[in-house]
């Protein structure tokens, strides 16, 4: 199956598929400055927690390349300052901080003998590793999720935690690609995911392109689906999992989790360990991104509410751990209660 290329880096240029233009066209944009990378993340040209982490890591490679004429001290200082800038592009997905910190950590080994080209190479190797590990992680999460599903199952998903959100085959959508490879039959119901329609524009698009059976619904139809036994499970991605298992994901996930619990449908969170933040004790300390009200005042570029009406536009919500049936990582399936198991996962070496 021909995959979608979310991002690709070459010699100081990061090329990203402009997801704001999907599904109308597959157009790529070239990012050559740290500001370009920041804007692409902020405006959701590149989005999804793991993908923005990888983009930020390459953003630091661009930072280094654009400072190749500086002396080593000035170069390192500039890269660190760009790192602080990039993590502010979006606050909720911890992958941004995770990837940037990984790059900054490898720079700690820089010695006086390093030339600017060595620093560039060091960052590029680490950014490539983040991208490579992300793709490997996706497949392992997919395997683990697949073990929870039976042939013929129908799964409801929200937002887009697929190929377009990572540098591999996605997290929540990964089992569908693996099932397709193996001739197993799975069906997907995709919430459209207002206000920015990641479910309709991206999930429906990439699954159809991959030959996977997908049915699109409006967000308000999820209760109908779950109350009528039309889905066997709900699988969602995540932007940050706190140490107690509380999980931030795209706005609307919490409502879906409440409905799933009410109707006894299991809710699985697909969680790469890069999205688990042991520094956040609970969901209360996860920062929630508030976005521009115009995303709600208009629909597909057309005004759909009175100009100037007050709007609230949180981009994410937090699902408390007691609504989650399992957190599915690349290292295994965690069942509730999650606290000690998440702790053990990190103690076993991360
Ligand atoms: O605002 P977005 O489109 O970046 O939100 C994306 C999500 O909420 C995804 O579910 C999450 O990042 C997981 S992607 C593997």
């Amino acid at each position: 199956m021909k995959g979608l290329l979310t991002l690709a880096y070459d010699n100081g240029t990061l090329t990203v598929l402009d997801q704001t233009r999907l599904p109308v066209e597959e157009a790529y944009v070239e990012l050559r400055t740290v500001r370009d990378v920041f804007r692409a993340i902020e405006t959701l040209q590149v989005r999804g927690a793991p993908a923005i982490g990888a983009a930020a890591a390459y953003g630091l490679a661009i930072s280094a390349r654009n400072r190749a004429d500086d002396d080593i001290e000035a170069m390192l200082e500039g890269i660190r300052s760009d790192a602080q800038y990039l993590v502010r592009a979006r606050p909720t997905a911890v992958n941004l901080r995770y990837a940037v910190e990984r790059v900054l950590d490898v720079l700690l080994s820089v010695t006086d003998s390093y030339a600017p080209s060595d620093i560039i190479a060091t960052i590029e190797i680490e950014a490539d590793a983040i991208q490579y590990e992300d793709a490997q992680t996706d497949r392992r999460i997919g395997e683990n999720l697949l073990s929870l599903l039976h042939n013929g199952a129908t799964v409801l998903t929200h937002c887009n935690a697929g190929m377009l959100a990572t540098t591999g085959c996605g997290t929540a959508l990964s089992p569908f690609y693996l099932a397709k490879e193996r001739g197993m039959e799975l069906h997907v119901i995709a919430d459209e995911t207002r206000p920015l329609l990641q479910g309709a524009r991206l999930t429906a698009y990439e699954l159809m392109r991959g030959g996977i059976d997908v049915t699109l619904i409006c967000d308000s139809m999820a209760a109908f689906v779950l109350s009528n036994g039309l889905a066997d499970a709900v699988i969602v991605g995540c932007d940050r999992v706190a140490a107690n298992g509380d999980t931030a994901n795209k706005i609307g996930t919490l409502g879906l989790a409440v409905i799933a619990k009410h109707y006894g449908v299991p809710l699985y969170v697909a969680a790469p360990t890069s999205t688990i933040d042991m520094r956040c004790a609970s969901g209360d300390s996860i920062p929630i991104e508030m976005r521009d009200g115009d995303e709600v005042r208009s629909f597909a570029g057309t005004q759909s509410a009175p100009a100037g009406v007050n709007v609230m536009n949180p981009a994410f919500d937090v699902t408390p751990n007691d609504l989650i049936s399992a957190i599915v990582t690349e290292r295994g399936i965690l069942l509730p209660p999650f606290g000690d198991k998440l702790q053990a996962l990190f103690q076993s070496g991360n």
Side-chain angles (χ1 to χ4, degrees):
M1 193 253 320
K2 199 170 148 265
L4 280 159
L5 187 66
T6 304
L7 56 85
Y9 173 84
D10 186 39
N11 275 318
T13 300
L14 180 64
T15 303
V16 302
L17 177 58
D18 182 351
Q19 299 192 29
T20 62
R21 291 162 77 172
L22 287 172
V24 178
E25 58 175 339
E26 278 181 26
Y28 287 85
V29 283
E30 292 189 345
L31 314 175
R32 292 195 181 84
T33 66
V34 173
R35 170 136 179 89
D36 288 347
V37 176
F38 181 96
R39 287 284 299 153
I41 295 172
E42 186 185 46
T43 60
L44 276 55
Q45 284 181 314
V46 58
R47 35 70 48 206
I52 62 177
Y58 284 121
L60 293 181
I62 292 173
S63 167
R65 287 219 173 230
N66 292 346
R67 296 172 190 284
D69 294 334
D70 291 0
D71 65 54
I72 296 295
E73 266 319 303
M75 191 180 182
L76 287 174
E77 203 180 303
I79 294 166
R80 286 192 201 105
S81 134
D82 284 341
Q84 298 320 316
Y85 170 64
L86 282 171
V87 291
R88 289 198 298 272
R90 295 193 76 190
T92 302
V94 74
N95 304 62
L96 203 50
R97 187 187 79 197
Y98 163 86
V100 161
E101 285 183 353
R102 265 184 68 164
V103 171
L104 293 181
D105 282 353
V106 292
L107 290 182
L108 294 175
S109 60
V110 170
T111 63
D112 292 347
S113 65
Y114 273 59
S117 58
D118 298 322
I119 293 183
I120 292 168
T122 303
I123 297 178
E124 288 178 345
I125 288 167
E126 191 62 16
D128 286 346
I130 290 169
Q131 179 180 10
Y132 175 78
E133 287 165 28
D134 182 34
Q136 301 300 308
T137 293
D138 285 356
R139 285 193 79 85
R140 291 195 196 110
I141 289 175
E143 294 285 357
N144 290 334
L145 280 166
L146 207 50
S147 73
L148 299 169
L149 303 171
H150 60 266
N151 197 17
T154 299
V155 177
L156 176 57
T157 191
H158 190 69
C159 193
N160 174 268
M163 249 172 211
L164 290 163
T166 73
T167 61
C169 58
T171 59
L173 300 189
S174 169
F176 308 117
Y177 292 109
L178 296 189
K180 174 89 183 162
E181 279 172 21
R182 290 163 199 188
M184 186 175 161
E185 200 192 323
L186 293 177
H187 309 281
V188 182
I189 298 179
D191 271 353
E192 66 176 351
T193 318
R194 268 290 276 157
L196 295 179
L197 302 182
Q198 286 92 333
R201 293 188 303 106
L202 309 178
T203 294
Y205 181 74
E206 69 161 79
L207 291 179
M208 280 181 78
R209 198 174 178 283
I212 292 162
D213 181 68
V214 56
T215 300
L216 181 64
I217 60 168
C218 301
D219 299 339
S220 49
M221 298 167 190
F224 175 90
V225 167
L226 296 176
S227 65
N228 282 288
L230 300 177
D232 302 288
V234 177
I235 303 181
V236 292
C238 56
D239 289 83
R240 193 182 301 223
V241 178
N244 69 346
D246 291 350
T247 294
N249 190 48
K250 178 54 55 194
I251 192 75
T253 304
L254 170 58
L256 199 54
V258 171
I259 300 166
K261 179 85 168 183
H262 185 79
Y263 289 105
V265 179
L267 173 96
Y268 303 130
V269 171
T273 48
S274 56
T275 312
I276 299 170
D277 184 5
M278 297 304 280
R279 294 186 224 169
C280 266
S282 75
D284 292 343
S285 40
I286 299 178
I288 298 296
E289 177 183 6
M290 303 298 285
R291 291 185 64 87
D292 196 300
D294 282 345
E295 292 179 350
V296 178
R297 286 185 199 98
S298 64
F299 185 83
T302 304
Q303 184 181 342
S304 58
V309 66
N310 289 333
V311 160
M312 189 188 293
N313 187 16
F316 300 94
D317 55 28
V318 174
T319 299
N321 56 32
D322 61 340
L323 298 180
I324 298 169
S325 310
I327 296 176
V328 181
T329 76
E330 72 274 25
R331 301 217 209 132
I333 300 170
L334 309 187
L335 299 175
F338 300 114
D340 290 349
K341 290 163 196 161
L342 286 167
Q343 188 92 41
L345 199 71
F346 282 84
Q347 273 160 2
S348 69
N350 186 33

